[in-house]
Amino acid sequence: MIKLLRVDHRLLHGQVVFSWVSALDPDCILVANDDVVKDELRKTTLKLGKPNGVKLVIKNIEDSIEAINTGKTDKYRLMIVVSNVADAVRLARQVEQIHSINLGGTKALPGTHQVTRMIYLTDEEEKLLAGAQENGISVNIQPVPSEAVIEYKPRTGAGKGGNA
């Protein structure tokens, strides 16, 4: 059972580990990221930050999609964390069990605009999210479980229907 698909550029950190794990009670966290899977230092760092009693799996995006779609993750209460919008939308479009995307934190970079205090998106990311919403995938903003869920609404003129 997929409890949450969260976009957070920091992947695992105190906020995720303590508040989301406490609220959702997952027994497995899947970090789906093409770069981290090849970086032993980052993998080690993530493993050190995982909560006790929760399994941590680190896979690239394609292997994550395959593992979920073939039922390998069915035995887990799964929380999925990705670092960017494109990966989240790709997962949501290719995994039937995913019905929503939680925007937790994205970095302010050149070409992004501020959506909330912790969410910065490019026009292309807004198109991807609008396209996901058009396909029935809910997109919400909720930094921590104790805060209200805000439905994501693309800026007027952001365009529609981007592809992942």
Side-chain angles (χ1 to χ4, degrees):
M1 165 189 263
I2 297 174
K3 306 287 274 182
L4 180 72
L5 168 58
R6 179 176 172 86
V7 178
D8 194 318
H9 69 93
R10 298 168 292 180
L11 296 172
L12 287 186
H13 57 92
Q15 195 172 322
V16 169
V17 172
F18 295 107
S19 63
W20 282 106
V21 169
S22 293
L24 298 174
D25 192 32
D27 54 11
C28 183
I29 297 172
L30 170 61
V31 171
N33 185 281
D34 291 341
D35 295 326
V36 172
V37 80
K38 299 179 275 188
D39 185 332
E40 291 303 318
L41 180 59
R42 285 184 74 192
K43 285 197 296 193
T44 299
T45 303
L46 289 172
K47 289 174 186 174
L48 290 172
K50 83 163 188 68
N52 289 332
V54 179
K55 179 179 178 131
L56 175 65
V57 176
I58 302 169
K59 292 185 173 289
N60 65 34
I61 299 299
E62 194 59 42
D63 289 347
S64 297
I65 292 166
E66 182 181 341
I68 297 166
N69 285 339
T70 60
K72 290 180 184 174
T73 63
D74 287 354
K75 62 186 172 187
Y76 297 111
R77 294 183 312 273
L78 192 63
M79 180 172 136
I80 306 168
V81 184
V82 298
S83 64
N84 62 71
V85 168
D87 288 347
V89 170
R90 182 174 170 203
L91 277 164
R93 286 187 171 170
Q94 294 185 32
V95 174
E96 216 173 279
Q97 294 178 53
I98 297 174
H99 305 288
S100 66
I101 297 171
N102 168 262
L103 300 176
T106 59
K107 227 181 218 182
L109 296 169
T112 62
H113 54 273
Q114 189 170 12
V115 175
T116 68
R117 181 174 56 88
M118 295 175 60
I119 306 293
Y120 296 82
L121 299 172
T122 64
D123 289 346
E124 183 59 29
E125 288 169 329
E126 288 219 272
K127 289 177 187 174
L128 287 171
L129 291 169
Q133 288 175 316
E134 288 170 7
N135 290 321
I137 298 163
S138 166
V139 179
N140 63 66
I141 299 168
Q142 187 179 24
V144 291
S146 60
E147 292 187 26
V149 176
I150 301 167
E151 181 185 347
Y152 167 76
K153 291 186 170 116
R155 291 181 306 153
T156 304
K160 293 188 174 193
N163 295 316

